[in-house]
Amino acid sequence: MPVLYKYEKPLMGIWKICESWQEMLESLINKGVCCSGLDKIQSDKRKQEWLAVRLLLQHLSGSEAHIRYRENGAPFLSGLIYNISISHTTGFAAIILSKNPNPGIDMEYHSARAWKLREKYMNGNELNMITSLCDTETAGNDDANGATADTETAAVQKIATLCWCAKETAFKALGETGVDFAEHFHIEPFRFLKEGFLMLKEKRTKENQRFRINYQVTEDYILTWKE
């Protein structure tokens, strides 16, 4: 069973997708219930992701709880006291189960996509912050006291992806429509580490909540979550 990581506090897991969807289906306790949802999915990749989430839920909860969806697309559980948030990226799936009303989780594989789209979801202060964090990240990873262009590019893409994941996590936790990531979500200055947290303030609601977004950066993916 390819459960890559399991966390107890919060209750959270990551599944490394390496089986066919047919093999994954055989591992489910209640195949009949899942088959009706699976039949609506066309691509093998999406079937794998869909099943990986349900296998994770089965593994973490030890029960036959089922995932339902609200009108806005947000998932919820029937048969469990937990609230759930879901994410998947190429080769991996992740879920978080929490008794808190608004958990969130997101994961992305490493790519240039978040940096290329930066102006769609980041404000000026955040872009300046990325530049500063990138300078810190590349310091010491250089030859002749000068960071290489490749090192700088990898660092800025990594930090941009983390910021994207953090805002996706906040979006899931907030549960509001009409959210503009650049206007309504503001990431506060933070220190970039392989594992850590950052603070994000939302300006979409009158409460102006501050979310603590935890994160983990690995060679394969970046993971963010809010309990």
Side-chain angles (χ1 to χ4, degrees), residues 35-94:
C35 280
S36 59
L38 193 63
D39 289 342
K40 301 174 184 178
I41 303 172
Q42 298 299 315
S43 77
D44 287 352
K45 178 176 179 293
R46 287 289 295 116
K47 286 182 178 181
Q48 287 175 303
E49 292 171 347
W50 192 89
L51 286 166
V53 166
R54 282 144 184 86
L55 284 168
L56 261 179
L57 176 59
Q58 177 178 290
H59 181 77
L60 294 181
S61 69
S63 72
E64 298 183 35
H66 303 303
I67 301 172
R68 311 295 187 205
Y69 293 89
R70 306 188 193 281
E71 290 185 5
N72 64 358
F76 70 95
L77 296 173
S78 61
L80 273 185
I81 59 173
Y82 290 104
N83 295 297
I84 186 172
S85 185
I86 296 168
S87 185
H88 42 71
T89 189
T90 301
F92 299 93

Side-chain angles (χ1 to χ4, degrees), residues 2-7 12-17 56 87-95 105-111 157-159 161-162 165 192-195 214-225:
V3 177
L4 189 60
Y5 289 110
K6 178 180 177 180
Y7 303 82
M12 183 171 69
I14 300 170
W15 188 284
K16 185 174 182 180
I17 302 172
L56 261 179
S87 185
H88 42 71
T89 189
T90 301
F92 299 93
I95 67 171
I105 193 168
D106 195 66
M107 68 187 311
E108 294 285 342
Y109 66 93
H110 294 285
S111 75
Q157 290 177 1
K158 191 185 303 179
I159 297 167
T161 302
L162 170 57
C165 286
F192 180 73
L193 303 166
K194 289 185 177 180
E195 290 191 38
N214 302 283
Y215 68 83
Q216 180 187 72
V217 180
T218 76
E219 292 183 0
D220 297 313
Y221 58 81
I222 292 175
L223 177 74
T224 56
W225 68 94

Side-chain angles (χ1 to χ4, degrees), residues 115 122-135:
W115 179 242
M122 302 188 77
N123 58 52
N125 289 336
E126 291 167 340
L127 291 172
N128 291 335
M129 179 182 64
I130 283 190
T131 301
S132 176
L133 286 170
C134 182
D135 291 342

